[in-house]
Amino acid sequence: MSTAFILGAGFSHPAGLPLQDDFSNLLFAGEFSGVLDTAISSNLKTFLSDVFGWCEGSFLPSLEDIFTYIDLSTATGHDLGIKYKPKLLRALRRMAIYRIFSVLDRKFSYSPDITMLLQRAMQAADGTVGFVVLNWDIVLEKHLAMLLPPPLIDYCCDAFDWNQPDRALLGPGPPAARICKMHGSSNWAYCENCNSLFYDLNQKLALHSKVGLIKADFRLFDERFTDSHFDQSLGISPAERTCRFCKNIISSHIATFSYRKSFRSHAYPAIWHRAGDILAHANKWVFIGYSLPSSDFELKHLLKSAELRFAHLRHRPTRTIDVVVRGDAQRKSYEQFFGTGCFEYYSGGLAEYVNGSGST
């Protein structure tokens, strides 16, 4: 039986990662005390104060609002007030993304529930399991690597191993785990010049290579960031930040928490196409920690299109749907989307699902 897992932030929560609503409270944690981290905190705080009237101790605006206003202004070339021109907003966007990567890196721990889920899924699916992942983190990849034997990984797009760029992602035979990172991944890096996408299955490549930290961005806020001062603060050699093929500076490749996500850049069309195929051909869908938010209307359209792709056929494949969340708050959203009685609802979260009747 082919199974497709649709993984939201709640899937990564048992591994110690924060839910999206908790990110705002962690952006300015005291642990971010290095030279560049201090500058990032200061620049983001000033932006939030100027644009949202935020002050220390008050509630931060949502990440959707922060990135949406930045993305709308930069995409149209308009200022956000006289102070924040598109160039400055793009710099703040890169800093904010890097900070979120940093938050994700500091909170990870292995989850026995996730390991059990994946072990059962890989055995039952017999090489036909697929993952549609809405998160930037690599919780899924880290737990898959713990399985014996660890499955091959297919990111469903052209990508190169950062450490061995001449080696193909997959070995011989069919891939065992097809992973569609719908919004990108923290272990990816991208070259804007030759359009090469790199991955590192062992670490958060974007964070390790400090992509998104650009000297010119910091100089927009503080001219004291000279070449030597910035390089010394960065702490890694330039070679660790350059494309393996054309030697251009690499960048991250993600779609932000935004109501105006862009999926038109390299890799995303292939990923979304493969995700649609995985979903359409799967006999079972398992939603874990995903709330069907209104901001994900592109993903919801993909789900509905995949659901209906073969609905007109006389001998259409049967499909079951499991929804694994915590609490009953999301039940109404799923009933509105799929219909009442069209899915099994597990309100006790992942622990209930893997230890109770919901095992795959």
Side-chain angles (χ1 to χ4, degrees):
M1 181 178 69
S2 176
T3 303
F5 290 88
I6 301 92
L7 308 180
F11 170 79
S12 301
H13 191 56
L17 272 67
L19 297 173
Q20 187 169 321
D21 291 343
D22 299 326
F23 266 108
S24 297
N25 299 324
L26 299 171
L27 290 179
F28 305 124
E31 59 200 87
F32 300 118
S33 57
V35 174
L36 297 181
D37 277 328
T38 299
I40 291 172
S41 295
S42 176
N43 298 337
L44 291 177
K45 286 180 178 180
T46 300
F47 170 76
L48 294 174
S49 176
D50 291 341
V51 175
F52 295 95
W54 174 80
C55 60
E56 294 276 1
S58 62
F59 291 108
L60 285 163
S62 69
L63 292 176
E64 287 94 345
D65 281 345
I66 295 171
F67 281 112
T68 297
Y69 300 154
I70 290 176
D71 290 348
L72 283 173
S73 294
T74 56
T76 58
H78 293 156
D79 298 354
L80 190 60
I82 194 171
K83 179 177 179 180
Y84 291 99
K85 308 210 174 278
K87 186 175 183 179
L88 203 65
L89 291 171
R90 283 190 287 269
L92 286 166
R93 184 182 189 272
R94 286 188 284 265
M95 292 179 185
I97 290 171
Y98 180 80
R99 174 54 53 83
I100 292 173
F101 283 166
S102 299
V103 171
L104 293 175
D105 188 60
R106 285 163 166 76
K107 300 296 178 181
F108 174 81
S109 60
Y110 284 100
S111 164
D113 291 332
I114 293 177
T115 300
M116 184 182 300
L117 173 82
L118 296 178
Q119 192 169 39
R120 292 176 180 174
M122 298 308 297
Q123 292 172 350
D126 191 26
T128 56
V129 64
F131 299 91
V132 177
V133 185
L134 285 305
N135 309 322
W136 295 345
D137 62 68
I138 56 173
V139 167
L140 174 62
E141 290 92 322
K142 284 190 172 183
H143 283 82
L144 285 172
M146 296 290 290
L147 303 183
L148 295 175
L152 300 172
I153 299 297
D154 178 7
Y155 276 128
C156 300
C157 64
D158 291 333
F160 302 92
D161 189 323
W162 177 252
N163 300 302
Q164 296 177 294
D166 57 341
R167 182 174 71 87
L169 179 61
L170 299 175
R178 298 165 294 167
I179 302 177
C180 297
K181 303 296 278 283
M182 308 300 283
H183 298 156
S185 183
S186 61
N187 70 326
W188 291 359
Y190 179 64
C191 177
E192 300 281 359
N193 181 53
C194 68
N195 304 127
S196 297
L197 183 67
F198 300 94
Y199 67 90
D200 190 331
L201 294 176
N202 300 315
Q203 64 180 347
K204 296 180 175 68
L205 179 57
L207 186 64
H208 174 77
S209 299
K210 301 191 176 181
V211 302
L213 299 187
I214 302 172
K215 177 184 63 179
D217 288 348
F218 285 84
R219 285 182 60 81
L220 289 172
F221 298 92
D222 187 345
E223 293 185 354
R224 290 176 298 174
F225 278 99
T226 59
D227 289 350
S228 58
H229 181 44
F230 178 80
D231 291 341
Q232 183 178 9
S233 301
L234 201 59
I236 62 174
S237 67
E240 295 180 74
R241 291 161 47 85
T242 57
C243 173
R244 294 303 196 229
F245 300 131
C246 72
K247 307 308 178 185
N248 183 47
I249 295 294
I250 55 175
S251 63
S252 60
H253 193 58
I254 62 162
T256 58
F257 301 102
S258 172
Y259 290 98
R260 190 65 177 270
K261 299 180 182 73
S262 174
F263 301 109
R264 301 174 65 181
S265 56
H266 177 77
Y268 287 121
I271 292 170
W272 280 68
H273 176 75
R274 287 284 299 277
D277 285 345
I278 289 170
L279 290 164
H281 290 280
N283 303 107
K284 185 172 185 177
W285 290 1
V286 183
F287 292 84
I288 302 179
Y290 185 60
S291 61
L292 286 177
S294 58
S295 59
D296 278 353
F297 55 87
E298 296 99 338
L299 189 279
K300 292 169 73 174
H301 177 264
L302 183 74
L303 288 167
K304 188 57 68 176
S305 297
E307 181 191 10
L308 299 176
R309 182 181 297 187
F310 301 119
H312 64 287
L313 297 179
R314 188 176 202 179
H315 300 291
R316 59 184 179 272
T318 59
R319 179 181 297 121
T320 61
I321 300 173
D322 289 350
V323 177
V324 184
V325 292
R326 293 200 66 83
D328 288 323
Q330 279 77 51
R331 187 188 295 269
K332 180 180 178 180
S333 296
Y334 278 92
E335 288 181 347
Q336 291 173 326
F337 192 77
F338 290 113
T340 304
C342 294
F343 55 87
E344 294 292 331
Y345 191 87
Y346 299 87
S347 61
L350 187 58
E352 175 197 65
Y353 190 67
V354 298
N355 295 304
S357 59
S359 57
T360 56

